[in-house]
Amino acid sequence: MTAQTWSRYIIIALTTIVVGVIVYYFSTIISYVVSAWVLSLVGQPIYKWFITRRIGRLRPGPSAASVLTLLTFFLFFGALVAIFIPSILKQASNLASVDYKSIATALEEPYHNVGLWLGEYGIQLPENTLEELVKKGLAGWFDPSKLGTIVASVIGAIGSIIVNVASVVFITFFFLQERKLFINFILALVPEKHEAPARETIKDTIALLTRYFSGLIIQLLIFWFLLWLGLFMFGIKNALLIALFGALMNVIPYIGPIIGAAFGIFITISSNLGVDFYHVLGPMLIKVFVVFQVVQILDSNFIQPYIFSKSVLAHPLEIFIMILIGAQVGGIWGIVLAIPAYTIIRVIAKEFLNQFKIVRQLTGRMEEEGF
């Protein structure tokens, strides 16, 4: 390699280190900016719809369209809260006032059979009565005496939440109003001789991330519909609520559906307290579990790989490996951010490290699609 090539690599390495240090020390502010940028990307279709419409004789300008887009976000999240909170509080109230003796009676026979089966392998169940176990397992989560502590914790967090939300909303407004504001901010940090390739990189990144978020919304809608349809056909109560929560949790690959299924089982149990276990509750729980498993298999093996590979132009195996790496590095947040982060890395590598064979191989589909 020539001295010029080595110098280029050294500059890239030093730049990466400096950026890493800045991100570490200003992670909160950067998270606000990145969150606002993502929201502006998701809100672009809504913004474009408002700015091309007339309200009476008036056509909304950029500021008005930005405000209306943010109001749409608030209405959406407000609707989610209105759907979930009352239903969850109702189920919690049911469990807090439940007749544990009747539940224990309904579960006595299956509990006894499980005890006999485990006894064959030398495993002994707890000596507590079944009623005590049920009460301890359920009432512990909905003990009225804990309500004060929960309320105090929520009130304590409200101030921080308001600051975070207000900061993100404020920045999102300007990103929506001035589409090139974020791009110009990034380009201001780039030397002039690298401005052209940096601009192309940002342009491709925005295009691919927009495709990714559009694909994600389509995937979640398909997941929600299939889940709701399966639960509805089996006559499960609160099918819409369970399916909606399951779809939202599906944003977290692989782990999300497990959380969604656990929520579905919880809602099913709390909505059918005191019924016969063998003839009513047991079959319902099996149906909920089967529906989640079938939809998850369809989503993981067909829907998700197809949509994500089409949206971010990467092989499904690449996506799977990146999700595993994200889980190793950052846990649940790492899983959620793995695909967007990998998309950005691929675009940067394509523009600045295209002389390497591995980079050309990983970005080949992007080249074919004109990115």
Side-chain angles (χ1 to χ4, degrees), residues 86-346:
S87 298
I88 293 175
L89 290 178
K90 180 181 178 181
Q91 305 308 324
S93 176
N94 291 341
L95 289 174
S97 59
V98 69
D99 182 359
Y100 296 102
K101 188 173 182 179
S102 65
I103 295 181
T105 301
L107 296 176
E108 190 68 46
E109 187 176 349
Y111 180 79
H112 177 70
N113 293 336
V114 170
L116 292 177
W117 178 74
L118 292 176
E120 295 178 359
Y121 298 93
I123 302 174
Q124 298 296 324
L125 289 175
E127 295 182 358
N128 307 62
T129 64
L130 185 57
E131 182 179 349
E132 291 173 346
L133 291 174
V134 171
K135 188 172 183 177
K136 183 178 179 181
L138 295 178
W141 294 94
F142 304 97
D143 188 352
S145 64
K146 295 183 178 180
L147 185 59
T149 304
I150 295 173
V151 171
S153 300
V154 171
I155 292 175
I158 285 178
S160 176
I161 292 173
I162 291 175
V163 171
N164 294 341
V165 171
S167 301
V168 172
V169 168
F170 184 76
I171 299 171
T172 303
F173 169 79
F174 288 104
F175 282 170
L176 285 169
Q177 186 184 38
E178 302 176 50
R179 292 186 59 187
K180 295 183 179 180
L181 182 62
F182 182 80
I183 298 175
N184 293 335
F185 173 75
I186 298 297
L187 291 176
L189 305 174
V190 177
E192 289 187 7
K193 63 179 180 179
H194 298 302
E195 184 172 323
R199 186 182 297 275
E200 189 66 24
T201 299
I202 296 172
K203 176 184 174 184
D204 291 346
T205 299
I206 291 175
L208 281 175
L209 286 180
T210 302
R211 287 167 60 112
Y212 166 72
F213 289 118
S214 300
L216 180 63
I217 292 173
I218 293 172
Q219 181 227 351
L220 294 183
L221 288 174
I222 295 174
F223 190 92
W224 165 78
F225 176 76
L226 292 177
L227 201 55
W228 169 80
L229 183 63
L231 295 172
F232 177 77
M233 290 177 64
F234 279 124
I236 303 299
K237 294 181 180 178
N238 299 302
L240 183 61
L241 174 68
I242 296 172
L244 186 57
F245 184 84
L248 292 175
M249 287 298 100
N250 201 49
V251 172
I252 309 172
Y254 304 107
I255 298 177
I258 298 175
I259 300 174
F263 177 83
I265 290 173
F266 160 73
I267 293 294
T268 302
I269 292 175
S270 61
S271 300
N272 297 278
L273 295 171
V275 301
D276 182 76
F277 180 85
Y278 276 118
H279 297 94
V280 182
L281 183 57
M284 279 187 183
L285 296 179
I286 292 174
K287 290 173 184 177
V288 172
F289 179 78
V290 168
V291 169
F292 266 93
Q293 287 299 307
V294 171
V295 174
Q296 172 60 18
I297 289 171
L298 290 173
D299 181 69
S300 298
N301 293 281
F302 301 101
I303 302 171
Q304 190 179 97
Y306 177 79
I307 291 178
F308 282 177
S309 63
K310 290 290 184 182
S311 60
V312 300
L313 304 176
H315 193 280
L317 181 59
E318 292 177 54
I319 294 172
F320 178 72
I321 292 174
M322 288 303 110
I323 289 174
L324 293 179
I325 294 174
Q328 183 71 27
V329 173
I332 291 180
W333 278 112
I335 294 174
V336 174
L337 299 175
I339 299 176
Y342 180 57
T343 300
I344 295 173
I345 292 171
R346 287 171 70 230

